[in-house]
Amino acid sequence: MPLTAFEEAQRIWKQISKEATVPELRFDLKVRRKLLNIFQVGDYYHYIFNCHEAKVDFVHENVLSVLGYAPEEVTVPFILDKIHPDDLVWFLNYEEAAKDFLLSLPPDRSLKYKIRYDYRLKKSNGEYLRILQQALPIQVDASGGVLRTLGVHTDISHLKKEGMPVLSYIGLQGEPSYINVHAKNIFSPDRDLLSKREKEILSLLIAGFPSSQISEKLYISQHTVNTHRKNMLAKTGAASTSELIARAVREGWL
C-alpha cells in the first residue's frame, strides 16, 4: 500500500533530524521576536516544528486571523490535508530537496539558512490562499541533524495569484543564497491514485474521445465510463474534465 503524504513527509523529517530523541528547546521569546524580523512581509503566523517527531510544538494565535483555524487544531496531518491537491506533490518534493541540502552542509552552517517556498492552503471558509513558507533551523545536534525549525506562513496571495511554487535556500550571515532551486520529481501522488482502468479512460479522454466512444473501445457501459470520470475528478481534486486532462498532460501521469 502506498504511503500517505504525511507518512512520506514524516520519513523525510526523521532523516533530517538524525536523533532518536529530541531534547527540550530553550528558546527565549526575545530571540524569537528577533528572528521573526527575518520573515515579516505580510499577514503571517509562526510556529515551531519538531522534525524528528513530525509534530508542531507551538502555533501562534495569529493562525486564526490568517487561516481561520484555532491553534489547537493545527497539526501536521491537518495542514497537509489543507494543501491544494495540485501543490501537495511540490510540497513533498521540496521537503525532500531541502533535507538533502541541509544534510549536505557542515554542522555549523545549517543554522545559517532558511528554506523558502510557496503553495496554496485552504482556509476555514473553503477559499485557498497562497502562503510563503519559510523555515529556519533553530536547534541542531553535533552532527548537523536539524531537530527543530522556526517556521512562518505568510499570506502572499496579493503578490502571487498563479504559477508554480518556487523553492529557494536563503543564506544568512554572509552565506550564499540559491534561488529557484530545481527539485527532483520524486513524488507523483495523483498518478498513483488512478487505477489501471481509470488510466485507460484518461488516455482516451486526452485523445479526444467522448464517453460513448470510450465505452465501445473498452467494452464497458457508458454509465461505467462516466462513473470512472467522476471518481478521477474526486481523487485528483480537479474541478472539470478539461482540468483533469490538462494536469495529466502537464504532469505526465500516463
Side-chain angles (χ1 to χ4, degrees):
M1 180 180 293
L3 297 179
T4 65
F6 175 63
E7 289 169 333
E8 290 285 13
Q10 190 175 37
R11 177 190 61 78
I12 295 170
W13 296 326
K14 276 192 178 284
Q15 288 178 333
I16 201 174
S17 69
K18 296 184 180 180
E19 287 280 330
T21 59
V22 180
E24 182 181 354
L25 177 65
R26 297 180 179 178
F27 193 42
D28 188 274
L29 288 176
K30 291 182 180 178
V31 176
R32 185 187 300 173
R33 293 191 189 100
K34 182 177 180 181
L35 286 171
L36 285 175
N37 289 330
I38 300 172
F39 297 100
Q40 290 182 358
V41 293
D43 293 336
Y44 72 96
Y45 64 92
H46 68 278
Y47 56 92
I48 294 176
F49 177 66
N50 183 319
C51 297
H52 183 76
E53 298 180 18
K55 71 173 187 177
V56 178
D57 288 340
F58 168 83
V59 182
H60 192 270
E61 61 186 13
N62 280 0
V63 68
L64 184 61
S65 60
V66 176
L67 294 179
Y69 306 120
E72 56 270 21
E73 293 182 85
V74 180
T75 64
V76 175
F78 182 86
I79 287 295
L80 289 176
D81 184 60
K82 304 305 177 186
I83 296 177
H84 194 286
D86 287 3
D87 294 349
L88 185 57
V89 66
W90 293 97
F91 176 91
L92 292 173
N93 284 326
Y94 285 172
E95 286 295 305
E96 181 77 26
K99 179 260 297 182
D100 290 342
F101 173 74
L102 290 173
L103 291 181
S104 73
L105 297 173
D108 62 337
R109 290 180 62 195
S110 56
L111 290 171
K112 298 179 181 180
Y113 275 93
K114 68 174 179 177
I115 308 300
R116 184 181 75 187
Y117 58 89
D118 61 282
Y119 54 89
R120 288 165 291 177
L121 267 182
K122 184 187 291 185
K123 299 172 61 176
S124 62
N125 64 4
E127 297 178 359
Y128 281 96
L129 57 78
R130 186 174 293 272
I131 64 101
L132 179 66
Q133 175 172 298
Q134 301 184 82
L136 177 71
I138 56 174
Q139 187 182 31
V140 300
D141 64 12
S143 65
V146 178
L147 306 181
R148 285 185 172 90
T149 61
L150 171 68
V152 175
H153 282 174
T154 306
D155 181 4
I156 60 167
S157 303
H158 59 296
L159 300 175
K160 182 177 179 179
K161 296 186 180 299
E162 299 178 349
M164 296 186 301
V166 175
L167 169 67
S168 299
Y169 310 139
I170 307 301
L172 309 173
Q173 303 177 42
E175 296 292 333
S177 295
Y178 304 91
I179 309 299
N180 197 8
V181 175
H182 173 72
K184 294 179 182 178
N185 187 23
I186 297 174
F187 299 98
S188 299
D190 284 340
R191 181 191 305 176
D192 297 334
L193 284 177
L194 303 181
S195 68
K196 180 180 178 181
R197 176 63 84 187
E198 288 169 343
K199 289 181 180 180
E200 290 175 338
I201 293 172
L202 179 56
S203 178
L204 292 171
L205 287 171
I206 292 173
F209 292 102
S211 293
S212 57
Q213 293 183 30
I214 292 175
S215 68
E216 293 175 1
K217 288 181 176 292
L218 298 181
Y219 302 101
I220 56 178
S221 71
Q222 186 171 336
H223 173 74
T224 299
V225 173
N226 290 333
T227 298
H228 281 302
R229 291 178 63 166
K230 291 178 181 178
N231 289 340
M232 284 190 285
L233 293 178
K235 285 182 178 181
T236 62
S240 63
T241 299
S242 59
E243 180 182 335
L244 175 69
I245 292 173
R247 286 178 54 194
V249 172
R250 183 175 65 247
E251 300 176 23
W253 293 358
L254 300 177

